[in-house]
């Protein structure tokens, strides 16, 4: 299938990043959210990020304006039904994702491919709740989408070869690199990354090191560009906890048990950068550790 139009569900940090890269690559993009404010903020952020690419001579100003012109927004989910490819990038909760696909399904073209940007939830299970499991895949972008090169492609048990090859071609058009993952909890990247972050939280919880010492140790001792607790704040502590719960429930292994301190931060509403407090407090000019 020749993909020309793309529907993006969710205007958060993943959704607006996905809309950005597709528009730059020449696809027509329709982005939806439940809030007009969210859509307006997403469009403003896309423009700022495109401006940054222009200033760094990654794209021309003409390319930037053409990309912005390719993106439309709507509060009406059914309007995405006429696109060739739908990418769901809503919150990392299976009930929410399933409800979105159920609401969208009656409005889809027969040939439309459905995908989820989920970072951990079973693709087979999500696909089984639609009328097209053979044209359903996991399409997992990394954050921040305009910068990160990798896209995980996850086939459900019913996904056909034509759908896989179509999405492989889309990734190539985006100028990114695809990695194929089997449909197991958290796939490849988060199966490895999230337990590391969770272990860093345990290291803090048990008093082995402070927030700053843990992050500095991994940056200087393991050459990581960002410490694990800083990275957790960037991802969102609620997302980290959700993925750890999927791993713990899906693999039934105690090594994936979420750290109680991670749960406590989420219960407090300290979710990281998006709420201005997590393992660091971002309300001042310089981030300050909260423990």
């Amino acid at each position: 299938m020749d993909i020309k139009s793309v529907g993006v569900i969710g205007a958060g940090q993943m959704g607006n990043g996905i809309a950005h890269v597709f528009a730059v690559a020449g696809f027509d993009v329709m982005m939806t959210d439940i809030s007009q404010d969210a859509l307006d903020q997403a469009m403003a952020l896309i423009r700022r990020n495109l401006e940054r690419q222009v200033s760094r001579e990654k794209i021309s100003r003409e390319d930037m304006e053409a990309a912005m012109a390719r993106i439309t927004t709507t509060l009406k989910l059914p309007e995405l039904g006429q696109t060739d490819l739908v990418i769901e990038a809503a919150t990392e909760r299976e009930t929410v994702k399933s409800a979105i696909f159920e609401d969208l399904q009656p409005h889809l073209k027969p040939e439309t491919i459905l995908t989820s940007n989920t970072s951990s939830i079973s693709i087979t299970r999500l696909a089984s709740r639609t009328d097209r499991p053979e044209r359903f895949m996991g399409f997992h972008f990394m954050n921040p989408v305009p910068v990160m090169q990798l896209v995980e492609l996850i086939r459900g048990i019913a996904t056909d070869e034509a759908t896989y090859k179509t999405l492989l071609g889309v990734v190539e058009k985006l100028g990114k690199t695809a990695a194929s993952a089997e449909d197991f909890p958290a796939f490849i990247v988060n199966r490895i990354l999230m337990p590391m972050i969770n272990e860093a939280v345990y290291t803090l919880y048990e008093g082995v090191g402070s927030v700053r010492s843990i992050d500095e140790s991994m940056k200087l001792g393991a050459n990581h560009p960002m410490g694990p607790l800083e990275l957790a704040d960037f991802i969102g502590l609620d997302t980290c906890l959700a993925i750890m719960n999927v791993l713990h429930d899906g693999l039934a292994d105690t090594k994936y048990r979420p750290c109680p301190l991670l749960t406590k931060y989420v219960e407090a509403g300290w979710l990281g950068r998006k709420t201005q407090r997590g393992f660091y407090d971002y309300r001042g000019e310089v981030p300050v550790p909260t423990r």
Side-chain angles (χ1 to χ4, degrees):
M1 183 178 177
D2 185 21
I3 304 295
K4 295 181 179 178
S5 59
V6 180
V8 178
I9 302 171
Q13 62 181 352
M14 294 306 298
N16 73 63
I18 292 168
H20 173 145
V21 298
F22 271 92
V24 169
F27 295 88
D28 292 325
V29 179
M30 181 177 289
M31 180 170 56
T32 189
D33 203 286
I34 58 174
S35 161
Q36 186 61 50
D37 284 346
L39 290 171
D40 292 343
Q41 290 172 20
M43 291 299 289
L45 181 57
I46 291 170
R47 179 169 286 279
R48 287 198 301 273
N49 288 336
L50 286 168
E51 289 276 9
R52 188 175 295 114
Q53 289 182 308
V54 171
S55 68
R56 294 174 180 173
E57 299 184 347
K58 301 288 186 182
I59 61 173
S60 68
R61 184 155 296 278
E62 291 74 18
D63 290 339
M64 183 193 89
E65 295 301 340
M68 288 299 300
R70 292 188 193 105
I71 305 173
T72 59
T73 63
T74 180
L75 291 172
K76 299 175 181 177
L77 179 65
E79 291 186 4
L80 270 64
Q82 295 308 301
T83 57
D84 301 325
L85 168 65
V86 173
I87 305 170
E88 172 273 315
T91 187
E92 192 68 359
R93 285 164 46 199
E94 187 170 345
T95 53
V96 173
K97 294 178 184 295
S98 296
I100 287 170
F101 289 126
E102 183 178 337
D103 290 345
L104 181 62
Q105 188 170 288
H107 309 284
L108 294 170
K109 298 188 297 184
E111 65 272 21
T112 297
I113 293 175
L114 286 178
T115 67
S116 176
N117 185 59
T118 178
S119 51
S120 61
I121 297 168
S122 168
I123 299 303
T124 296
R125 200 160 59 238
L126 287 173
S128 71
R129 293 166 187 169
T130 74
D131 63 348
R132 59 197 67 210
E134 70 285 353
R135 290 192 297 282
F136 192 108
M137 276 193 69
F139 206 22
H140 181 214
F141 290 81
M142 305 295 127
N143 186 34
V145 182
V147 175
M148 300 297 282
Q149 184 67 18
L150 183 70
V151 181
E152 283 183 319
L153 296 181
I154 308 100
R155 281 180 274 199
I157 195 170
T159 306
D160 62 28
E161 188 67 14
T163 298
Y164 172 74
K165 287 184 175 178
T166 296
L167 291 188
L168 194 61
V170 169
V171 174
E172 290 174 358
K173 288 181 181 177
L174 294 176
K176 295 188 180 293
T177 301
S180 297
E182 292 299 317
D183 188 20
F184 284 91
F187 320 129
I188 296 172
V189 173
N190 283 316
R191 173 74 177 266
I192 298 167
L193 176 63
M194 286 302 158
M196 184 198 75
I197 288 175
N198 194 51
E199 194 62 29
V201 182
Y202 266 115
T203 304
L204 177 65
Y205 179 58
E206 294 168 3
V208 179
S210 65
V211 169
R212 199 174 295 284
S213 64
I214 291 167
D215 279 349
E216 287 300 309
S217 293
M218 293 307 292
K219 285 192 286 187
L220 301 179
N223 203 30
H224 289 191
M226 189 182 292
L229 301 176
E230 183 185 2
L231 178 58
D233 276 357
F234 182 76
I235 294 168
L237 303 192
D238 52 339
T239 299
C240 294
L241 179 60
I243 295 170
M244 287 308 303
N245 281 328
V246 168
L247 281 166
H248 191 223
D249 294 344
L251 298 173
D253 193 323
T254 56
K255 72 179 181 180
Y256 299 115
R257 183 173 69 96
C259 179
L261 183 59
L262 178 60
T263 301
K264 184 178 290 187
Y265 268 71
V266 173
E267 288 175 345
W270 292 17
L271 308 182
R273 285 185 174 271
K274 60 188 173 185
T275 60
Q276 296 297 297
R277 276 191 293 187
F279 292 112
Y280 292 86
D281 189 328
Y282 300 92
R283 293 174 296 177
E285 291 186 10
V286 178
V288 178
T290 53
R291 287 180 76 89

